[in-house]
Structure formats: C-alpha cells, structure tokens
Amino acid sequence: MQNTSTANHGRPSEDVCPISDALFAQICRSTPSQSRELSLGFSAQERARLALFCNSRAHLRESGREIAGTCTEASLTREGGQAGLVLFQQARSGPETWGLAPRQNSRRVSLAG
C-alpha cells in the first residue's frame, strides 16, 4: 500500500491512491465487477479508501461503487465521513439508481429572444 496523506479530520486524501500503482493499473483495466473481485484481496481499510478514491474519478465511478459494495457502512464512514456514507447507500441501491439525480428547484432558462 502506498503512503497515504491525510486530509482534514484525519481522513486519507482522495488525491492519493491507497494501493500500489501496479494494482491500481489492474483496477483501471478491469470491468467494474472484476474490480470488485480484485478488491476482495485488500484489507477493509484499503477497500474503503479505494472505493472512495475511484468514486471521486468520473471514469472509475462505477468501479468505486462496486468496490464500495464489499465495504461495511462503518469502514466507508470512517474513511470518508459523509461522502463514505453516501457511497455506501449508493452501492447498496444498485446500478439502476446511479444516474444523475434530477435537480430540485432549478430555474428554467429560455434562449428565445
């Protein structure tokens, strides 16, 4: 595992990958379900950190949610605070709900002149 720096409140920074570059490269080349399987070899703390790290990157978001599905609520919340809790809930809700949530109270913009 790479040395992770900590952000506010002692949580690891989402800018530092929690696993080696070689293992991360495998995750990047894998499908989301393969990423989930690969992550099972990591410690609970590494999985939670990896799930948060991947979820914070658009191209790895689905893998992050799959990995989060292997984590406990406590581990994701400990590592990511509120973001970890939200990720836990998303992972449990399933891929069909991972789309963008509709915006509430948005003002419509008219381009008519």
Side-chain angles (χ1 to χ4, degrees), residues 17 31 36 38 59 61 66 81-82 84 103 106 110:
C17 185
T31 66
R36 177 187 179 100
L38 286 169
H59 67 290
R61 191 155 290 140
E66 286 285 342
Q82 184 66 29
R103 295 181 71 158
S106 294
S110 173

Side-chain angles (χ1 to χ4, degrees), residues 65-79:
R65 290 176 181 152
E66 286 285 342
I67 295 167
T70 70
C71 299
T72 64
E73 181 178 1
S75 67
L76 282 169
T77 302
R78 183 173 41 253
E79 296 301 324

Side-chain angles (χ1 to χ4, degrees), residues 26-86:
Q26 277 188 276
I27 296 286
C28 289
R29 288 190 303 266
S30 300
T31 66
S33 61
Q34 290 170 332
S35 296
R36 177 187 179 100
E37 293 301 315
L38 286 169
S39 74
L40 293 174
F42 304 145
S43 71
Q45 182 181 34
E46 287 172 321
R47 280 197 317 274
R49 288 180 178 176
L50 181 61
L52 289 157
F53 181 82
C54 290
N55 192 62
S56 69
R57 283 144 181 82
H59 67 290
L60 295 173
R61 191 155 290 140
E62 191 175 345
S63 290
R65 290 176 181 152
E66 286 285 342
I67 295 167
T70 70
C71 299
T72 64
E73 181 178 1
S75 67
L76 282 169
T77 302
R78 183 173 41 253
E79 296 301 324
Q82 184 66 29
L85 177 60
V86 170

